[in-house]
Amino acid sequence: MSEITIQVKFFGAFRKFGDSLNFSVPSGSTVAAAKTVIQKMLDGEKLVLDSVLSSHCTILQDNDILENDAELSILPPVCGG
Amino acid sequence: MEPSSICARISSKPLNIQDAYDFVSDPAHGAVDVFIGAVRNHHEGQSVQGITYDVHEDLAKKTFEDICAEARKKWGGLKIYMAHYMGQLDVGGISVIIAVSSAHRVESFESCRYIIEELKKRSPIWKQEHYEHGLSQWLPGHSLRVAQQ
């Protein structure tokens, strides 16, 4: 199974980790699996559990499949206004 | 939907109340309701010096457009201006402006309240409060895991 490269941009409280994170997962991995990788790379950061991944204009569901290289964002709980 | 019925913006320039009023002003509309959010100088007992707003611009703009479209579907005939600031503001700075016009006041009041409440729950925007002595913290909020269910 081929590997794909994911870049995840950080927002809000994730900014303490920098601007972004790059990692590889097998093509066909779920969004939930990608989040598990992210959490592991961020030393078990619990905020990942309450966060979602998104593409440029769409929030991804945990069971969505990642088939190709992608630029995503991880969005912690929001508080605008 | 007429393209001119919704204006959804993320801006790193100061928000302007007159811009909001000018956009929603309509000779057929006898009511304009405006909500303005500003930076407060206190939060849970702490003295706040300012707030930095972090925004996922593309997704926030799409979320604004979705919320406005929902409001127009629920109340009909609205003109809506929805703008949020991105960057750092001092106390008193305007972080958000929502203006809604309609033929009569009930639709404007109700839809304006709906829009700000949905913005707070669904828009990818985050606040970092700045306190005395250089301390800061990102505020907790609404998980989008809930919003998408």
Side-chain angles (χ1 to χ4, degrees):
Chain A
M1 187 178 293
S2 62
E3 294 266 308
I4 57 173
T5 300
I6 307 293
Q7 182 186 51
V8 173
K9 292 175 66 177
F10 293 144
F11 290 88
F14 285 111
R15 295 277 191 190
K16 67 183 176 185
F17 296 109
D19 291 329
S20 64
L21 179 71
N22 292 284
F23 60 94
S24 296
V25 290
S27 177
S29 295
T30 62
V31 165
K35 286 175 65 180
T36 299
V37 172
I38 295 168
Q39 187 177 26
K40 193 171 181 180
M41 293 180 76
L42 300 181
D43 297 325
E45 173 63 56
K46 290 181 179 176
L47 190 61
V48 174
L49 300 175
D50 281 333
S51 302
V52 297
L53 294 184
S54 79
S55 61
H56 288 298
C57 284
T58 305
I59 292 174
L60 305 178
Q61 308 288 328
D62 280 350
N63 59 358
D64 284 346
I65 302 297
L66 302 170
E67 295 189 18
N68 302 306
D69 293 350
E71 292 183 8
L72 306 177
S73 299
I74 186 161
L75 312 179
V78 300
C79 56
Chain B
M1 176 195 327
E2 317 90 87
S4 60
S5 61
I6 291 173
C7 178
R9 299 180 57 202
I10 303 297
S11 177
S12 54
K13 295 178 180 174
L15 302 186
N16 186 302
I17 299 165
Q18 189 66 48
D19 288 348
Y21 181 78
D22 289 345
F23 182 82
V24 301
S25 182
D26 187 305
H29 289 179
V32 177
D33 192 71
V34 180
F35 173 84
I36 299 169
V39 176
R40 191 174 53 225
N41 69 359
H42 63 95
H43 179 64
E44 295 184 344
Q46 299 206 72
S47 175
V48 175
Q49 310 291 302
I51 293 179
T52 297
Y53 293 88
D54 194 13
V55 182
H56 187 302
E57 286 187 74
D58 291 340
L59 191 55
K61 191 166 183 296
K62 179 179 181 294
T63 305
F64 283 11
E65 290 167 350
D66 289 346
I67 293 169
C68 290
E70 290 163 15
R72 280 180 51 82
K73 189 174 181 184
K74 283 168 75 78
W75 285 278
L78 307 175
K79 289 182 82 170
I80 306 170
Y81 180 95
M82 187 175 184
H84 202 291
Y85 185 77
M86 177 176 68
Q88 187 162 354
L89 286 175
D90 295 331
V91 171
I94 295 175
S95 59
V96 59
I97 297 177
I98 295 166
V100 184
S101 72
S102 56
H104 305 286
R105 67 185 181 280
V106 172
E107 294 90 337
S108 288
F109 276 127
E110 292 182 353
S111 60
C112 193
R113 177 68 185 266
Y114 173 83
I115 290 165
I116 183 61
E117 298 300 340
E118 293 300 307
L119 179 155
K120 283 178 167 289
K121 286 187 288 189
R122 294 161 52 184
S123 298
I125 300 172
W126 301 271
K127 292 179 192 174
Q128 184 185 36
E129 281 189 339
H130 304 292
Y131 310 109
E132 293 176 307
H133 312 302
L135 299 175
S136 297
Q137 74 163 344
W138 291 98
L139 299 186
H142 300 270
S143 174
L144 294 174
R145 287 175 61 83
V146 175
Q148 68 181 341
Q149 289 170 356

